Amino acid sequence: MEDHKIVQRNLALQREWYGEPLGDRVRRLVVAFNVSQAQLADVLGISAPMLSQVMSGRRAKIGNPAVLARMIMLERKVLTPDVATGAPEALQRALDDVRESKPTVSRDNLPVNGDESVAYPVLRRVADRTELQHAADLLHEDFPAIAELFRRAIRAAGQR
């Protein structure tokens, strides 16, 4: 297959897997954080040449799930008020936080925000302890991760 067709196929796969070409996502981060591609690669935990290949479509995917998790973390940090101001110290703090993160990815979680406890008050507002336990029991076999989230919300309510 010639290079142009490989790149087009890879970009199509990126749209399918990531919602859009990774080059578009990376360029937005480079602009938002006012960093070079090499600096962004360092923050993400990927080599600069590998990031370049993914951006150009010469490679279809990011092989390390932790790198993708860090990219999503940065995309979410762009939406926070302190980073959105563009203040250099806020941008640097966000980059440092992501660089130092050690995300682990399993089939049950993608730790892009690191704190699921923000869901607990919402769950407790819409259901009492008995309802949450009943829902957890019903969901346990088919959706164990959701059932466990409900159980953690119940336990967190007991700790208040």
Side-chain angles (χ1 to χ4, degrees), residues 109-120:
N109 72 335
L110 180 60
V112 293
N113 126 346
D115 187 11
E116 69 183 25
S117 66
V118 296
Y120 301 161

Side-chain angles (χ1 to χ4, degrees), residues 128-144:
D128 64 27
R129 295 172 76 109
T130 304
E131 292 169 322
L132 287 172
Q133 185 60 55
H134 183 67
D137 293 342
L138 288 172
L139 294 170
H140 177 72
E141 189 168 325
D142 293 327
F143 304 99

Side-chain angles (χ1 to χ4, degrees), residues 23-84:
D24 295 346
R25 292 175 72 170
V26 170
R27 278 186 280 286
R28 279 196 300 273
L29 291 173
V30 165
V31 170
F33 286 97
N34 192 29
V35 294
S36 68
Q37 286 180 25
Q39 290 168 314
L40 183 62
D42 177 61
V43 170
L44 296 175
I46 189 173
S47 72
M50 178 69 76
L51 182 61
S52 177
Q53 290 174 2
V54 169
M55 288 180 67
S56 67
R58 289 185 308 243
R59 287 186 179 262
K61 66 179 178 175
I62 295 174
N64 183 340
V67 172
L68 179 60
R70 285 188 197 96
M71 181 182 298
I72 294 168
M73 292 167 103
L74 279 177
E75 289 173 331
R76 290 190 176 178
K77 285 187 178 288
V78 168
L79 303 174
T80 62
D82 58 334
V83 172

Side-chain angles (χ1 to χ4, degrees), residues 11-31:
L11 292 175
L13 287 171
Q14 288 179 2
R15 281 185 197 91
E16 180 183 336
W17 296 336
Y18 305 112
E20 64 184 311
L22 289 173
D24 295 346
R25 292 175 72 170
V26 170
R27 278 186 280 286
R28 279 196 300 273
L29 291 173
V30 165
V31 170

